[in-house]
Amino acid sequence: MGRLFGTDGVRGIANQELTPLLAFYLGRAAAAVLGKGQKGVAILGRDTRLSGSMLAAALTAGVTST
């Protein structure tokens, strides 16, 4: 898993190493660790590649499910 994290975020080829399921789990983990049961605001930034909206939706689903 350590090979997926770069200096500016998570790295990998979309739908190979970087899957929607992984993005979902990352969103859940981020909400659990950063939220610690509190309500707050999450801001998601992404680029304009075709995979961006797919991964953003999966990450958002993970955050909001936690």
Side-chain angles (χ1 to χ4, degrees), residues 18-51:
L18 189 52
T19 64
L21 184 60
L22 176 63
F24 177 79
Y25 288 148
L26 287 171
R28 286 183 56 137
V33 171
L34 300 174
K36 296 191 189 259
Q38 302 297 315
K39 290 185 177 184
V41 175
I43 299 172
L44 172 66
R46 69 172 188 90
D47 63 25
T48 58
R49 286 179 270 196
L50 291 175
S51 60

